[in-house]
Amino acid sequence: MVRLLETLLCVLWLTPLSHAQEKSSRSDSGNPFLPAGAVSDGWTSVRGPHFDGHSAEVQIADTWPSEGPPVLWTRELGQGYSAFTANGNRIFTQAQSLGGQYVYCLDAETGETIWSYRYDWPYEAVGVYPGPRATPTISGDRVYFAGPSGLAGCLTIDKGRLVWSVNVVEKYAGDGGVGFGYSCSPIVSDGLVFLPVGGNSASLVALDAATGNEVWAAGDDPGSYSPVFPITYQDRKLLVGYLQNSLVIHDRVSGELLLRKDLSSGYDEHSAWPIYREPYLWIAAPFRSGSTLLRLPETLERTNAFEQVWSLRIMSNDVVSSVLVDGYLYGFDIFDAQAKTQRPSRGKFRCLDFLTGAEKWEQGSGVAQRRPDDNLDEIGQAGIIAVDGKLLLLNERGELILLRATPEECDILARTTVLGGELTWTPPALHRGRVYVRNHSRAVCIYVGDPELLEPEREVLRVEDIPQTKYFDLAAKILVVEPDYLFDVPSDRWLWEWYLACLGTLAGSGLIAFVVSMCVPKPRRESIRRWTFRIVAFTAGAVGTTLLSSLKNDFVFTWPVCLFVAFEPVVSAAVGRKKSEERTSQKWKDRLVLLPFLAVCLAYFLLCRRLSLVF
């Protein structure tokens, strides 16, 4: 009874407010990028207002000048994979600095901070995947966010004041989808906030958007990294969960589990969004799993199975999602097991017939780049917005690409590099003819609308004014052969091979040092032998990974030799100190050998992180 009264009070309190919010969000008569009579929903979620990567905007330019489209602003932001959402004259994202993780509200026209809300300490600031993953969602006069620890919360849109927060991973003992940090953007619909959690009896949860209280929790499957996906089937509101090992469909209002399909067993992950066109549901997965088109059954009961229309080993999706335009799928088919942080992912950009899976065209070689300048004409892995008969893409190398949405051919209309120097997986956001993009250090607003609609007095920058560098594929230079799964513990065979390779490197270096020392006078032999050994062994350990991997056509890791060589003088100094009494000056001299060792350790760490050699 108390719960019922609480729900009724919330409904009564929210109803007049929601009407005012709806009126406010739809009153955008000054937006020239909307068709006549269209309402303005803004870009309110990570995949847009309808969760499908589509924008209703028109009058998007068909090409850009040779120097690139106008840049309205650029600013430093911070680490994170969070995309932008937009409503009115404000945009929202999440990022982190050394001070913590923040939700940012920025002025859409200038990029200046209107407010920021700190919700946690930095997440893996020096790790391989630093910063928040989820994207804030806008609903009415509230902003909803989720952090990598599982903390979900609600802020006021005007001042960024906290309304409520709850850590759903801790509360529901979430499993799956948290190993790399909680990444699911909150999805808000019908006064509820939907989140996949993966706990017992809590695969999916629905929270009251006004209070954060649980409305329902259901399912027992472990979660993954893809947000929930609201759909409507036969006029019934449903919720799709693309979980770690299963695909589930729940009733959006009651939480009742209606359909479930087993997908895999053991560790798996799904990050890309499904695509829905009633009654068809398309899913794609990493690990070279390909994609599948399913048909929902006529009767939504647990005993009814999905009907498989087709399943192909192509169009695998990982950290970015495909889009459906006029009956055709457009997206990046990743050939790697998963997206890489050390280099652009291998694969091809494809166009498929949605109902048959027939390929219409493909773009790209699908092979690894051997030199930094190879294959730069490829589209590559890219976040996509479908708008005005075109596709607006931001690829991993930071290129903004305009592509005509046609199954006839891959027709690239324009492209320019706007976020060069580092890889980015964050999808773009489009609002009022402006595209908002970011990477781990910078955010940029670029005007992509009809040039005649840009205010004549508006001061603009050029693409070349954006602080950026040319992307350098260090992995192609160093890692001739790389492991498919860089987070897995190396096999026993690999560990023994690496150990023997390191011992062989040290033994060979010692032999070379002995031969060289025999060619000098006896008083200097010990010093020459020691330094020759150190130089040869350190050099051989540094280049051994590249050379031996190339010769063996298998990954051989010899960099630990460099750590051993750098540590040897420290051990020698410590042993020598125990054998004799030392003056204070000698003690400090011996301690100085720690500096080169610490420098080598730091370089080793940074290089391994850059190349994702996390083992």
Side-chain angles (χ1 to χ4, degrees):
M1 186 67 181
V2 173
R3 181 64 177 275
L4 178 62
L5 289 173
E6 181 186 49
T7 303
L8 288 173
L9 286 173
C10 286
V11 169
L12 291 172
W13 179 75
L14 282 172
T15 300
L17 179 62
S18 63
H19 285 307
Q21 293 165 358
E22 181 178 3
K23 181 178 179 181
S24 173
S25 67
R26 291 169 180 260
S27 59
D28 198 5
S29 58
N31 185 353
F33 297 99
L34 288 176
V39 297
S40 174
D41 295 314
W43 192 264
T44 52
S45 81
V46 63
R47 289 273 280 174
H50 305 295
F51 316 109
D52 57 4
H54 279 250
S55 170
E57 295 196 356
V58 293
Q59 302 199 74
I60 301 300
D62 292 325
T63 188
W64 304 325
S66 58
E67 64 273 15
V71 177
L72 301 188
W73 55 260
T74 178
R75 59 163 289 174
E76 294 183 359
L77 187 59
Q79 295 174 319
Y81 297 90
S82 176
F84 284 100
T85 48
N87 185 264
N89 64 345
R90 296 186 176 196
I91 58 173
F92 303 84
T93 191
Q94 293 169 236
Q96 75 177 20
S97 63
L98 291 178
Q101 295 181 65
Y102 298 84
V103 177
Y104 285 100
C105 172
L106 309 180
D107 187 291
E109 288 298 305
T110 66
E112 295 179 356
T113 300
I114 297 175
W115 55 256
S116 63
Y117 174 77
R118 182 186 183 279
Y119 61 88
D120 207 346
W121 292 102
Y123 186 81
E124 295 186 358
V126 293
V128 179
Y129 306 111
R133 291 93 162 90
T135 299
T137 295
I138 305 167
S139 180
D141 62 352
R142 298 288 187 264
V143 178
Y144 300 85
F145 69 92
S149 69
L151 179 70
C154 171
L155 306 172
T156 60
I157 201 170
D158 57 346
K159 301 292 185 181
R161 295 191 180 96
L162 182 67
V163 179
W164 57 260
S165 67
V166 57
N167 192 307
V168 292
V169 172
E170 293 179 358
K171 180 177 180 179
Y172 297 102
D175 182 28
V178 296
F180 292 101
Y182 190 80
S183 307
C184 299
S185 302
I187 299 302
V188 184
S189 179
D190 304 306
L192 300 176
V193 181
F194 300 103
L195 292 163
V197 179
N200 291 330
S201 300
S203 288
L204 309 183
V205 301
L207 308 179
D208 188 291
T211 65
N213 295 330
E214 177 188 314
V215 176
W216 58 257
D220 296 299
D221 292 289
S224 196
Y225 301 98
S226 178
V228 295
F229 181 31
I231 65 171
T232 300
Y233 179 59
Q234 298 176 346
D235 296 324
R236 186 173 182 180
K237 295 179 178 180
L238 306 176
L239 203 62
V240 178
Y242 195 17
L243 305 176
Q244 180 169 270
N245 304 118
S246 62
L247 179 71
V248 298
I249 293 185
H250 290 250
D251 183 278
R252 206 187 309 175
V253 178
S254 67
E256 179 187 1
L257 177 62
L258 303 173
L259 292 171
R260 183 183 181 279
K261 178 179 176 61
D262 286 321
L263 299 176
S264 59
S265 60
Y267 175 77
D268 199 358
E269 63 97 349
H270 301 108
S271 303
W273 282 67
I275 289 177
Y276 176 70
R277 191 184 73 181
E278 189 174 353
Y280 299 100
L281 185 66
W282 180 82
I283 56 174
F287 303 120
R288 306 184 184 98
S289 300
S291 59
T292 301
L293 183 67
L294 304 168
R295 182 187 178 103
L296 274 64
E298 289 293 330
T299 305
L300 291 174
E301 297 178 358
R302 298 188 197 182
T303 55
N304 291 100
F306 292 92
E307 175 192 341
Q308 181 173 294
V309 180
W310 56 259
S311 182
L312 299 171
R313 301 292 290 182
I314 61 173
M315 211 56 144
S316 299
N317 285 179
D318 188 13
V319 294
V320 295
S321 306
S322 300
V323 296
L324 176 65
V325 182
D326 298 329
Y328 295 95
L329 289 165
Y330 299 87
F332 181 74
D333 180 11
I334 185 169
F335 288 6
D336 291 302
Q338 293 174 290
K340 306 293 185 180
T341 59
Q342 70 272 18
R343 59 163 172 79
S345 299
R346 306 180 182 111
K348 296 183 179 182
F349 199 89
R350 300 185 190 271
C351 172
L352 304 184
D353 186 289
F354 183 65
L355 293 180
T356 67
E359 182 177 273
K360 308 306 292 184
W361 53 258
E362 64 179 31
Q363 199 268 2
S365 65
V367 299
Q369 296 176 223
R370 294 272 62 89
R371 298 189 306 273
D373 295 329
D374 283 351
N375 303 330
L376 291 186
D377 61 327
E378 296 187 2
I379 292 175
Q381 183 166 238
I384 313 169
I385 295 174
V387 56
D388 196 21
K390 296 175 274 286
L391 303 178
L392 190 62
L393 302 94
L394 179 71
N395 70 15
E396 286 179 301
R397 295 191 300 270
E399 287 184 294
L400 194 65
I401 302 174
L402 192 64
L403 183 71
R404 191 178 302 281
T406 172
E408 304 301 324
E409 61 177 335
C410 179
D411 185 9
I412 297 177
L413 303 174
R415 68 191 304 168
T416 186
T417 300
V418 296
L419 287 174
E422 60 182 272
L423 296 182
T424 177
W425 296 339
T426 302
L430 182 67
H431 182 55
R432 292 179 175 174
R434 285 102 167 123
V435 63
Y436 299 93
V437 296
R438 62 164 295 189
N439 57 16
H440 279 300
S441 57
R442 182 162 297 279
V444 182
C445 172
I446 300 165
Y447 181 79
V448 293
D450 187 331
E452 295 184 358
L453 297 179
L454 182 64
E455 301 88 339
E457 67 279 2
R458 177 67 188 259
E459 293 185 7
V460 299
L461 304 171
R462 296 170 298 180
V463 169
E464 64 182 35
D465 295 325
I466 303 173
Q468 58 180 325
T469 58
K470 185 176 180 180
Y471 177 75
F472 182 75
D473 191 351
L474 187 63
K477 291 287 189 180
I478 296 178
L479 299 182
V480 178
V481 181
E482 63 184 31
D484 273 339
Y485 304 101
L486 293 166
F487 287 86
D488 288 357
V489 176
S491 65
D492 290 342
R493 178 183 67 83
W494 259 3
L495 288 174
W496 275 110
E497 288 182 357
W498 299 352
Y499 179 62
L500 293 175
C502 290
L503 286 183
T505 299
L506 292 172
S509 302
L511 180 60
I512 293 173
F514 174 78
V515 172
V516 171
S517 67
M518 296 303 294
C519 299
V520 298
K522 192 172 183 178
R524 299 179 55 197
R525 283 181 183 174
E526 180 63 23
S527 177
I528 292 296
R529 183 195 62 77
R530 184 184 302 114
W531 281 104
T532 301
F533 170 77
R534 291 171 179 173
I535 293 171
V536 173
F538 190 92
T539 304
V543 303
T545 294
T546 303
L547 295 180
L548 293 178
S549 298
S550 180
L551 290 173
K552 198 173 182 296
N553 197 29
D554 193 12
F555 185 68
V556 182
F557 192 53
T558 62
W559 290 357
V561 170
C562 299
L563 291 180
F564 177 86
V565 173
F567 188 54
E568 186 269 334
V570 178
V571 176
S572 297
V575 171
R577 185 180 304 121
K578 290 180 180 180
K579 291 182 178 180
S580 63
E581 295 184 2
E582 302 177 32
R583 298 187 302 271
T584 302
S585 60
Q586 182 62 33
K587 290 181 180 179
W588 282 109
K589 182 179 178 181
D590 288 342
R591 289 169 182 169
L592 287 176
V593 299
L594 282 172
L595 296 180
F597 173 63
L598 293 176
V600 170
C601 288
L602 179 60
Y604 181 94
F605 166 75
L606 294 175
L607 192 57
C608 286
R609 185 184 64 168
R610 172 64 178 81
L611 298 175
S612 293
L613 301 177
V614 295
F615 48 74

